[in-house]
Amino acid sequence: KAVADARAKLADVQGKAATVKKAASDASKVATKDADVLAAAEKKTAGSKKALLDANDKLAAAKAKGKTTDLKNVEQLGGKVGVAKDALKASETQQSAAKSKASASAKALSAANSKASAADSSIASAQKSVDQAEAKLAAATQKYQKEQKVAAEKKAKADKKAAKEAKKQKKAAEKKAKKLKKQVKAEQKRMKELQKKKAAADDAKAKAAKEAAKEAAELANQAKKLEALKK
């Protein structure tokens, strides 16, 4: 988010800077045009001054001759001096207006250039913020990837160890189950033999009891016969 915000700010600053720079470019064109107009006005004023000086020199020369025949020429030259003075006055008026306008446009250009310079500084600052945010993101990404790699390696190691332990436990359990099965089988065999022996003992006991009962009956019969003989 920091990178996105920094880029958005940079884009905004660049957009505003473009507007400011266009204004500076327009101001530069106006200032150049006004400077050209002022230069032309100054050239025209210089020409008018030269024309007035020439006219004055010619008039002074004509007056210096002091001849009646030159009176008409003096009047004509005086008229030309008047025209030259009017032309100079007009040139100076135009030059003054051009100078004021050129000064105003130069001042506007200076202000526009200052704004453009400030805009460049803002762009540089915003770009620096973007670079810093991207550097932080890159560092954080690298750190995260490194941590993920370490975690993955630890997990793989733990999984391997767990699998090995599980295999070991399974083998031990199978061995124990096999041993228990063998013990159960042996116990079942022993119980079967015991049952067989018990059955044999029970048969022998029953047979002995039967024979004892038979002997007892015979003894009782003999005793009964003896009693009968005694009478």
Side-chain angles (χ1 to χ4, degrees), residues 18-77:
T19 302
V20 170
K21 286 183 177 181
K22 186 179 183 304
S25 177
D26 293 341
S28 179
K29 290 176 183 177
V30 172
T32 300
K33 184 179 178 182
D34 290 344
D36 290 341
V37 171
L38 175 59
E42 288 174 341
K43 187 177 181 180
K44 187 176 179 182
T45 298
S48 296
K49 283 181 179 179
K50 188 176 184 302
L52 177 58
L53 289 172
D54 289 344
N56 277 327
D57 289 343
K58 287 179 181 178
L59 177 61
K63 284 181 178 181
K65 287 181 180 180
K67 293 181 180 180
T68 306
T69 54
D70 293 328
L71 183 61
K72 188 176 181 181
N73 187 34
V74 168
E75 288 177 354
Q76 289 177 347
L77 289 171

Side-chain angles (χ1 to χ4, degrees), residues 109-201:
L109 175 60
S110 178
N113 284 336
S114 294
K115 288 182 179 179
S117 179
D120 286 335
S121 296
S122 297
I123 289 174
S125 179
Q127 183 63 57
K128 186 177 179 181
S129 296
V130 170
D131 294 341
Q132 288 175 341
E134 287 179 342
K136 284 182 180 179
L137 177 61
T141 301
Q142 188 176 11
K143 184 181 178 183
Y144 173 75
Q145 289 175 342
K146 188 176 181 180
E147 288 174 349
Q148 287 294 100
K149 185 180 179 181
V150 171
E153 288 174 351
K154 284 184 177 179
K155 185 178 182 299
K157 191 174 180 180
D159 289 345
K160 187 177 180 180
K161 186 177 180 181
K164 188 177 181 181
E165 185 62 26
K167 187 177 180 181
K168 184 179 177 181
Q169 290 179 357
K170 184 182 178 183
K171 190 174 181 180
E174 287 175 348
K175 187 177 180 181
K176 188 176 180 180
K178 189 176 181 181
K179 184 178 179 181
L180 185 61
K181 187 177 180 181
K182 190 175 181 181
Q183 289 175 345
V184 169
K185 192 174 181 180
E187 184 63 19
Q188 287 175 342
K189 185 178 180 181
R190 189 179 72 81
M191 289 298 295
K192 191 174 181 181
E193 289 176 352
L194 285 173
Q195 287 174 353
K196 190 175 179 181
K197 287 179 179 178
K198 185 177 180 295

